[in-house]
């Protein structure tokens, strides 16, 4: 098929592009900036534009069979600062995208939602797909709104779709200097012998998924005809920040300097995903354990920092 990956130069998107190419699909990428860690790939058509550039998005959708929507203009901890921007740049522009998908006869839309922010504080663990949805951030609310618009466009116009709710992905090519991706950020701090700042006491529990496992789940959800349209893709295991720091200390054998700050208001104390539906319907399960994935991520970050002439002690 001919695929358009919105956000295809980002961390998740670039790995998804690799998988699509390896499976023989034709790939177009729509993103506001080039990849951080690689040059453009041969055979991929790139549209370097903002998601809000409707004319360019309309052009990029020409003769596309399947759209993977990974674009988000906000992140959970800052989305509440400007909810209007969050809604206008994500929900409204996604509605335009869906309208164009209907007009251009796109066969399917695959939306990468959230396996954390969209649930809020769960009443039971692990969290199933049909658990109550009570987001604590504008980011989670916009993800939920887009999910509902996908349902609406399916019922009004027959637009096929599937939704993936990933836990917290980590792995090679994640931006270790950004505001998301706690494992990558922690490992980069360790590589640079910098103090790690932890918001709260480190007991917040989350679900972490290695990037290749996530991509496998996204691909299987996209290419299947399952009975359900929403899938949690995670490890199904909860780890606290203290667990991760202990694992880094053990596996990498580095002394870590830690400072604690106030707990973030948007943080959910404990959340990890029930992944039985993906296992039963898609034949998917995670293959890479956290300790192995952490070491792979460490090698990438350590080597990238060294390549850029930063000291790795």
């Amino acid at each position: 098929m001919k695929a358009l990956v919105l956000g295809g130069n980002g961390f998740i998107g670039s790995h998804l592009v690799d998988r699509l190419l390896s499976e023989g699909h034709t790939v177009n990428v729509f993103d506001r900036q080039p990849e951080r860690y690689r040059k453009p790939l041969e055979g991929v058509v790139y549209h370097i534009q903002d998601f809000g550039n409707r004319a360019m998005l309309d052009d990029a959708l020409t003769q596309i069979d399947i759209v993977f929507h990974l674009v988000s203009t906000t992140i959970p901890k800052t989305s509440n600062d400007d909810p209007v921007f969050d809604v206008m740049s994500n929900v409204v522009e996604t509605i335009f995208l869906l309208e164009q998908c209907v007009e251009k006869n796109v066969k399917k839309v695959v939306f990468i939602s959230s396996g954390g922010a969209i649930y809020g504080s769960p009443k039971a663990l692990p969290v199933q797909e049909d658990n109550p949805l009570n987001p604590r951030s504008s980011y989670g609310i916009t993800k939920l709104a887009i999910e509902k618009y996908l349902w609406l466009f399916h019922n009004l116009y027959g637009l096929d779709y599937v939704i993936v709710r990933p836990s917290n992905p980590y792995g090679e090519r994640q931006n270790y200097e950004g505001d998301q991706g706690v494992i990558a950020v922690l490992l980069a701090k360790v590589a640079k012998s910098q103090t790690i700042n932890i918001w709260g006491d480190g007991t917040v529990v989350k679900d972490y998924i290695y990037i290749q496992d996530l991509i496998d789940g996204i691909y299987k959800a996209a290419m299947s005809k399952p009975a359900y349209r929403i899938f949690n893709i995670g490890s199904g295991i909860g780890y606290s920040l203290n667990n991760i720091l202990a694992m880094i200390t053990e596996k990498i054998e580095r002394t870590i300097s830690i400072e604690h700050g106030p707990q973030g208001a948007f943080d959910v104390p404990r959340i990890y995903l029930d992944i039985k539906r993906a296992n039963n319907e898609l034949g998917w399960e995670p293959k890479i354990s956290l300790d192995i994935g952490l070491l792979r991520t460490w090698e990438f970050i350590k080597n990238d920092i060294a390549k850029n002439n930063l000291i790795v002690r």
Side-chain angles (χ1 to χ4, degrees):
M1 291 193 293
K2 187 174 183 180
L4 176 64
V5 184
L6 304 174
N9 285 336
F11 168 48
I12 300 174
S14 66
H15 284 277
L16 178 58
V17 167
D18 291 347
R19 176 63 179 268
L20 291 168
L21 290 172
S22 72
E23 298 285 351
H25 301 288
T26 301
V27 180
N28 286 18
V29 166
F30 191 100
D31 208 318
R32 63 178 181 172
Q33 58 192 11
E35 274 198 49
R36 175 177 292 269
Y37 298 108
R38 301 190 302 187
K39 294 180 180 179
L41 302 178
E42 185 177 347
V44 176
V45 177
Y46 291 93
H47 305 266
I48 306 301
Q49 294 291 339
D50 189 86
F51 185 46
N53 189 324
R54 295 186 175 186
M56 294 303 298
L57 181 59
D58 178 70
D59 181 63
L61 285 165
T62 301
Q63 297 183 331
I64 292 296
D65 297 308
I66 185 168
V67 171
F68 294 85
H69 182 4
L70 292 84
V71 169
S72 178
T73 64
T74 62
I75 59 175
K77 74 177 183 179
T78 59
S79 63
N80 291 348
D81 296 340
D82 193 348
V84 173
F85 170 76
D86 195 7
V87 171
M88 294 298 293
S89 60
N90 289 303
V91 180
V92 174
E93 295 305 328
T94 295
I95 293 171
F96 174 78
L97 166 68
L98 299 181
E99 291 173 338
Q100 296 309 302
C101 286
V102 171
E103 183 176 314
K104 295 181 181 296
N105 297 312
V106 170
K107 294 182 178 66
K108 192 171 191 177
V109 175
V110 182
F111 177 53
I112 311 307
S113 184
S114 166
I118 203 167
Y119 289 115
S121 297
K123 297 186 182 301
L125 292 170
V127 181
Q128 297 179 334
E129 288 87 347
D130 55 2
N131 273 34
L133 304 175
N134 297 297
R136 298 174 62 173
S137 66
S138 179
Y139 175 90
I141 292 171
T142 59
K143 292 287 191 183
L144 178 56
I146 291 170
E147 289 191 7
K148 295 301 185 182
Y149 273 108
L150 283 162
W151 179 90
L152 178 65
F153 272 72
H154 172 70
N155 281 272
L156 291 178
Y157 310 112
L159 180 62
D160 195 12
Y161 74 95
V162 69
I163 294 164
V164 171
R165 292 177 179 166
S167 65
N168 296 275
Y170 70 97
E172 299 90 334
R173 302 206 301 267
Q174 188 167 34
N175 179 13
Y176 52 80
E177 295 179 337
D179 293 321
Q180 283 188 293
V182 64
I183 288 178
V185 171
L186 291 177
L187 290 173
K189 294 275 190 182
V190 172
K192 296 176 184 178
S193 298
Q194 296 176 347
T195 298
I196 292 173
N197 299 305
I198 299 296
W199 305 111
D201 59 6
T203 59
V204 168
V205 171
K206 295 185 180 181
D207 187 321
Y208 298 90
I209 182 77
Y210 182 62
I211 186 61
Q212 296 300 336
D213 284 333
L214 172 57
I215 296 304
D216 190 45
I218 293 173
Y219 187 81
K220 287 180 176 176
M223 299 302 162
S224 302
K225 289 287 186 181
Y228 297 91
R229 293 190 179 274
I230 301 175
F231 293 94
N232 286 336
I233 299 293
S235 69
I237 303 171
Y239 292 94
S240 71
L241 277 176
N242 291 333
N243 293 150
I244 292 172
L245 290 168
M247 194 175 294
I248 290 173
T249 301
E250 177 188 353
K251 298 296 181 181
I252 298 174
E253 299 179 350
R254 296 289 184 99
T255 301
I256 300 176
S257 173
I258 301 172
E259 289 184 357
H260 291 271
Q263 186 73 52
F266 59 90
D267 276 332
V268 174
R270 291 177 60 83
I271 185 167
Y272 52 94
L273 302 180
D274 187 312
I275 56 174
K276 293 190 191 75
R277 180 183 289 181
N279 181 250
N280 294 335
E281 294 288 322
L282 306 177
W284 173 88
E285 62 181 359
K287 296 181 172 63
I288 303 300
S289 63
L290 182 60
D291 57 343
I292 293 174
L294 189 149
L295 285 173
R296 291 183 182 181
T297 308
W298 165 251
E299 287 301 316
F300 173 82
I301 291 174
K302 180 181 67 172
N303 293 336
D304 190 71
I305 289 174
K307 182 177 70 176
N308 288 287
N309 298 317
L310 297 171
I311 297 174
V312 181
R313 295 182 175 87

